[in-house]
Amino acid sequence: MHELSVCMELIDQVEAIARSHEAERVDTIVLRIGSLSGVEPGLLESAFEMARLGTVAEHASLRTERIEPRIRCRACGSEADAGPGDLRCPACSGTDTALIAGDEMILARVELLQAAD
């Protein structure tokens, strides 16, 4: 399950962010996941339950937001949302398109809790 290795990398990034802000713990992590990224949000959430144990994110919640595919046509230059399994340009029906969104995974937000003074 590659989602576990993705979560381990995520936890490393989140811990570095928490250290740099001198946070006591992480409250919420928000990930934006492209529907063509190869990462399954449900499996990622299950892996997160294991990966967070014993870390600054042990009590954090993980929220995911889906990013739909978007293309740019190399022939006519138009940009459009892409349908499932269809990366053709809706403007000119061209097939020479570039995927410009939908295959990424972005750490969008980390909510931290500071130690009380």
Side-chain angles (χ1 to χ4, degrees):
M1 162 161 56
H2 88 288
E3 280 80 0
L4 183 57
S5 63
V6 168
C7 278
M8 299 303 285
E9 290 293 325
L10 173 65
I11 292 296
D12 287 346
Q13 288 179 2
V14 167
E15 284 188 317
I17 291 167
R19 272 193 309 276
S20 73
H21 291 279
E22 299 178 1
E24 183 176 291
R25 62 178 233 192
V26 176
D27 187 52
T28 306
I29 300 168
V30 179
L31 288 178
R32 298 187 72 218
I33 302 173
S35 60
L36 301 177
S37 68
V39 175
E40 177 59 44
L43 294 175
L44 188 73
E45 290 167 8
S46 294
F48 179 74
E49 296 298 318
M50 290 184 287
R52 70 182 182 167
L53 296 176
T55 73
V56 69
E58 184 163 14
H59 301 288
S61 62
L62 176 66
R63 292 196 339 228
T64 59
E65 299 171 352
R66 185 180 171 111
I67 301 171
E68 296 301 329
R70 188 158 177 83
I71 58 167
R72 177 180 301 118
C73 181
R74 291 185 179 106
C76 73
S78 68
E79 291 185 12
D81 293 335
D86 184 8
L87 300 179
R88 290 178 296 150
C89 176
C92 72
S93 298
T95 57
D96 188 13
T97 59
L99 187 66
I100 58 172
D103 63 346
E104 67 271 47
M105 185 172 81
I106 300 168
L107 177 55
R109 189 170 65 245
V110 178
E111 296 176 8
L112 305 172
L113 295 174
Q114 301 294 338
D117 291 329

